[in-house]
Amino acid sequence: MKLMKSLLLAACFAAGTTAAWAAEGELSIGTEGAYPPWSMADAAGNVTGFDADVGNLLCAKLEVKCQFVVQAFDGLIPALKAKRFDVIISGMSITDDRKKEIDFSIGYAELANMFVAPKSSDLAGIKDLDSLVKALDGKKVGVQAGTTHAHYLEKNVPNADLKTYDTLDQMQIDLASGRVDTAFSDVSALEDFLAKPDGKDFQLVDVKIASSSDPTLGEGIGVGIAKDNTELKARIDKALCELVADGSIGKASQTWFKSDISRPCQQ
């Protein structure tokens, strides 16, 4: 009898913690806040960008309020595991390594990945991946720490001199000042740099690397969810499928990327 009571109490406790966000009527969302146009936070902590739009659309579907928590990208997964927030929405690619630590929703978006370099660089005219990888030997390549882009370079461009940065802004400063020869990121982040005065003498290298081309780049962008939070995952997957199907996520991506980067629902 005592064992049965203990099991019942444990089950009740688990159910209560799983649905705590719903009972409070609020979903707390961890996001970087320094990766335009995905996520930008101002001095007051207000978050805008594609991630914020996805979060707000999701909260509306779940009939809860959104609370955004700004956190450095490489600290997002540890913070989720420490229960600082309920989910991660921060342009985070779904990878096998990350799935060892947390669960993910379905992938709801996907972008190509590219390099950016000075127009005068020998990299600028390259148009195929094999030639680009060879040309990167010994080059100083900027990349954000803890990202799929960093893992891709470590695996596929082992002879490059990788320079890692905590934020995209830091990487762009070194790129503009010539402290790195090139930088690797998703195309949206690089186009943001090219639109700034510091980017006027730079261009994209005409080699697009699809996320589906290598396991290190993941299975699209997903919502990070704590392990075993099956109820929340199921509700988020359902909501995301509806938001992709009705064009809401595509419309949000048109606002920020000038193209539809939504990914068809694959449950």
Side-chain angles (χ1 to χ4, degrees):
M1 182 62 73
K2 287 183 178 179
L3 177 59
M4 182 62 72
K5 183 181 286 187
S6 297
L7 290 172
L8 286 171
L9 287 171
C12 290
F13 177 76
T17 54
T18 298
W21 61 274
E24 294 170 1
E26 184 176 88
L27 187 71
S28 56
I29 299 170
T31 195
E32 180 181 0
Y35 196 78
W38 293 83
S39 175
M40 297 86 74
D42 63 20
N46 299 309
V47 179
T48 57
F50 180 62
D51 291 328
D53 284 3
V54 171
N56 285 317
L57 287 167
L58 190 57
C59 287
K61 275 284 183 186
L62 298 176
E63 299 182 336
V64 294
K65 292 181 180 180
C66 279
Q67 179 191 14
F68 291 96
V69 180
V70 177
Q71 169 77 52
F73 187 84
D74 59 2
L76 282 168
I77 289 177
L80 177 66
K81 293 173 71 175
K83 300 181 180 179
R84 284 198 59 213
F85 35 76
D86 301 310
V87 297
I88 297 169
I89 301 180
S90 194
M92 183 171 281
S93 298
I94 304 166
T95 67
D96 288 339
D97 282 345
R98 287 172 180 159
K99 286 193 287 188
K100 293 174 185 176
E101 300 291 324
I102 61 174
D103 285 338
F104 281 94
S105 70
I106 60 163
Y108 60 85
E110 185 170 11
L111 263 179
N113 309 282
M114 299 182 76
F115 289 83
V116 65
K119 294 176 181 178
S120 58
S121 168
D122 60 339
L123 301 174
I126 294 175
K127 295 184 180 297
D128 68 274
L129 183 57
D130 288 342
S131 298
L132 179 57
V133 170
K134 290 176 184 176
L136 289 171
D137 278 6
K139 290 281 197 302
K140 294 178 181 178
V141 182
V143 68
Q144 189 173 4
T147 61
T148 54
H149 303 104
H151 298 320
Y152 178 88
L153 292 177
E154 289 163 358
K155 174 186 174 184
N156 296 290
V157 195
N159 295 322
D161 181 8
L162 295 190
K163 304 295 182 184
T164 59
Y165 300 89
D166 290 335
T167 69
L168 191 67
D169 283 345
Q170 292 171 352
M171 183 179 78
Q172 291 178 354
I173 289 169
D174 272 12
L175 181 64
S177 66
R179 285 191 283 270
V180 292
D181 300 302
T182 183
F184 183 54
S185 187
D186 68 67
V187 66
S188 65
L190 299 181
E191 286 176 341
D192 178 75
F193 169 70
L194 293 175
K196 298 175 180 178
D198 282 349
K200 64 182 177 64
D201 295 323
F202 291 79
Q203 70 174 63
L204 294 175
V205 179
D206 193 16
V207 179
K208 290 185 178 180
I209 302 172
S211 293
S212 57
S213 68
D214 192 280
T216 57
L217 293 173
E219 307 161 21
I221 304 299
V223 176
I225 306 166
K227 285 282 189 184
D228 302 321
N229 202 341
T230 53
E231 180 205 358
L232 181 55
K233 173 174 165 52
R235 292 186 65 178
I236 286 177
D237 282 348
K238 181 177 183 293
L240 287 173
C241 276
E242 292 173 357
L243 291 167
V244 169
D246 70 13
S248 297
I249 288 180
K251 184 178 179 180
S253 69
Q254 288 281 1
T255 298
W256 296 103
F257 304 111
K258 310 306 179 190
S259 62
D260 184 355
I261 68 166
S262 63
R263 181 182 170 105
C265 178
Q266 299 174 5
Q267 279 189 296

